[in-house]
Amino acid sequence: MSLEQFFQNALDQLKSEGNYRYFAELERAAGSFPTATKHDADGTRDVTVWCSNDYLGMGQHPTVINAMKDGVDRCGTGAGGTRNISGTNHDHLLLEAELADLHGKDAALLFTSGYVSNWTTLGTLGAKIPNVVILSDAGNHASMIEGIRHAKCDRMIWNHNDVDDLDAKLAACGDRPKIVAFESIYSMDGDIAPIEAILDVCEKHGAMSYIDEVHAVGMYGPRGGGVSEQLGLAHRVDLIEGTLGKAFGCVGGYITGSHALCDFIRSFGSGFIFTTALPPAVAAAARASIRHLKDSGVERTGQKAQVAKLRAALDQAGIPHMANDSHIVPVMIKDPVKCRMISEYLMDQYGIYVQPINYPTVPKGTERLRFTPTPLHSDADIAHLVGALSALWSQCALSRAVA
């Protein structure tokens, strides 16, 4: 079999299983979010985006847009190199200081994405700390899992959000160095970790705590520092990782912690050392977004209101959705083919775009539509969405199929 045939066979199998990923070609228009233009073979049409990670619409905020424009005018479009070789710009250092302040830490370190920040940091810690064991929550993101695998250190998986299981596994590790890696909000189910209890157990066993706050930064806490800030626990977390590509509306990832910890990753992390730095204009825009959300609660308040309205409307319409305390609203379909079918029908008939979430993003049998209301989704948008889902549920008797 040729390699080309091997590739095609693997793709055909994905399609037959309903797990092939089709990408919607969208064109975002500044000032019109959550509306976007969809391009396809039949031309273009406007759609309402219901699955964006631009949770607060900050990618459309005039302050952020103007900061990026000004950054391009001042610095041009690219960084010009890696951070080590000519690529460290003044805007990078200003942004790192802003991030350290956001989380109440001594230092921060920028990466090109949240995936890279997790992969690099966990991979470096696991590879460089002698005899370390990393204990990873069973629900952790692929970036964390891949970083731990890359480290080739000892690792344990503890049951999702199960503090008793974590306690037992930490006790079994004895006196060796231990790192506990977990997320604050898990993006597919929208559940929130029992952070205080996890930190209690980490401190009991002398383990380093590593929290991924990518789905929470900007969204939770009085200044947008995440769930750890909202609960008053950020000072107890050794390392807080986050992203600039979701609620802050830009692109990039970061870690925050002690000076020594961030400098250690800066000095030994290949995913930081050998990649081109973020463009200074992106750093300037991200800093403007963070500064705005530190002072403004309008976006967070508006987003929470629209989440509550969507959940109430779904309940009234009898459409099942997964209960959680976060901003993520999963409607469970539990079948990849049906999930794709519903997504396409919503797009074609109602101009509603929500991406089907299938394996391997979620386990087989837990396929879903994942809705993320923003403060820029109007009450009319919510009514249109719920009306479309209600009609679809009724026409196809899907309430029985997904029960």
Side-chain angles (χ1 to χ4, degrees):
M1 181 191 301
S2 70
L3 287 178
E4 283 298 312
Q5 189 60 56
F6 170 79
F7 300 149
Q8 193 58 55
N9 288 349
L11 294 170
D12 290 343
Q13 182 176 349
L14 278 180
K15 292 177 182 177
S16 69
E17 295 170 347
N19 290 321
Y20 183 76
R21 295 169 186 250
Y22 296 90
F23 296 162
E25 182 182 347
L26 303 176
E27 183 178 351
R28 285 161 60 98
S32 68
F33 183 78
T35 301
T37 301
K38 180 180 181 291
H39 294 256
D40 56 34
D42 297 324
T44 63
R45 65 175 299 190
D46 286 343
V47 299
T48 302
V49 180
W50 272 101
C51 53
S52 175
N53 283 343
D54 189 358
Y55 291 136
L56 299 177
M58 293 303 293
Q60 306 286 318
H61 197 284
T63 298
V64 180
I65 292 172
N66 290 334
M68 185 172 285
K69 288 179 178 178
D70 175 69
V72 170
D73 289 340
R74 287 186 294 106
C75 303
T77 58
T82 64
R83 289 287 298 273
N84 184 50
I85 304 176
S86 83
T88 293
N89 188 277
H90 183 56
D91 287 287
H92 296 130
L93 300 184
L94 291 176
L95 176 54
E96 287 174 340
E98 200 73 57
L99 289 164
D101 174 78
L102 175 66
H103 295 293
K105 300 299 181 186
D106 296 333
L109 190 67
L110 284 173
F111 295 84
T112 51
S113 73
Y115 191 104
V116 174
S117 57
N118 267 332
W119 183 88
T120 300
T121 303
L122 285 168
T124 303
L125 293 172
K128 295 294 184 181
I129 299 174
N131 199 35
V132 71
V133 56
I134 299 180
L135 296 95
S136 177
D137 185 284
N140 277 346
H141 189 263
S143 58
M144 304 173 80
I145 295 168
E146 290 297 328
I148 296 167
R149 285 175 178 166
H150 175 74
K152 295 183 172 61
C153 64
D154 288 344
R155 56 188 183 271
M156 292 185 178
I157 310 300
W158 48 287
N159 297 334
H160 179 53
N161 282 346
D162 186 338
V163 178
D164 290 337
D165 187 51
L166 174 62
D167 189 17
K169 286 184 165 66
L170 280 169
C173 292
D175 293 333
R176 61 191 301 190
K178 299 170 284 290
I179 300 171
V180 174
F182 64 104
E183 302 180 37
S184 61
I185 297 177
Y186 290 84
S187 62
M188 290 300 115
D189 288 352
D191 54 329
I192 299 177
I195 298 174
E196 185 171 16
I198 291 172
L199 294 177
D200 288 344
V201 172
C202 287
E203 291 164 0
K204 171 183 174 182
H205 295 281
M208 174 183 170
S209 52
Y210 181 116
I211 189 170
D212 174 320
E213 287 259 36
V214 297
H215 291 279
V217 290
M219 305 275 292
Y220 297 84
R223 301 196 309 158
V227 179
S228 58
E229 183 199 29
Q230 179 171 287
L231 298 176
L233 299 171
H235 66 287
R236 293 176 57 188
V237 182
D238 294 305
L239 187 152
I240 298 175
E241 185 266 353
T243 184
L244 306 171
K246 292 184 170 63
F248 293 130
C250 296
V251 66
Y254 64 89
I255 60 169
T256 63
S258 70
H259 285 297
L261 174 56
C262 292
D263 199 15
F264 181 84
I265 303 302
R266 184 191 74 89
S267 300
F268 293 102
S270 62
F272 174 86
I273 295 169
F274 296 108
T275 193
T276 300
L278 286 173
V282 171
R287 180 169 176 252
S289 182
I290 294 164
R291 289 172 66 88
H292 175 85
L293 289 173
K294 281 180 176 179
D295 293 331
S296 172
V298 172
E299 292 80 9
R300 288 187 284 274
T301 300
Q303 196 256 5
K304 290 174 184 176
Q306 297 313 90
V307 170
K309 288 176 184 177
L310 176 59
R311 289 190 182 277
L314 290 172
D315 287 339
Q316 186 173 8
I319 297 170
H321 57 98
M322 187 178 290
N324 60 54
D325 293 324
S326 76
H327 58 285
I328 295 166
V329 184
V331 172
M332 305 303 291
I333 308 301
K334 303 180 183 178
D335 179 275
V337 176
K338 288 191 175 100
C339 204
R340 165 60 55 186
M341 179 191 72
I342 298 169
S343 171
E344 291 177 349
Y345 192 86
L346 288 171
M347 178 81 85
D348 294 341
Q349 299 300 315
Y350 294 95
I352 291 169
Y353 170 52
V354 57
Q355 187 72 10
I357 306 295
N358 292 342
Y359 178 84
T361 304
V362 295
K364 292 180 179 180
T366 68
E367 293 81 8
R368 68 200 63 187
L369 300 176
R370 175 183 176 271
F371 296 96
T372 53
T374 75
L376 300 179
H377 283 93
S378 67
D379 291 354
D381 290 331
I382 293 173
H384 181 59
L385 169 63
V386 176
L389 286 171
S390 296
L392 191 55
W393 243 249
S394 175
Q395 291 170 18
C396 303
L398 284 172
S399 58
R400 292 194 300 273
V402 301

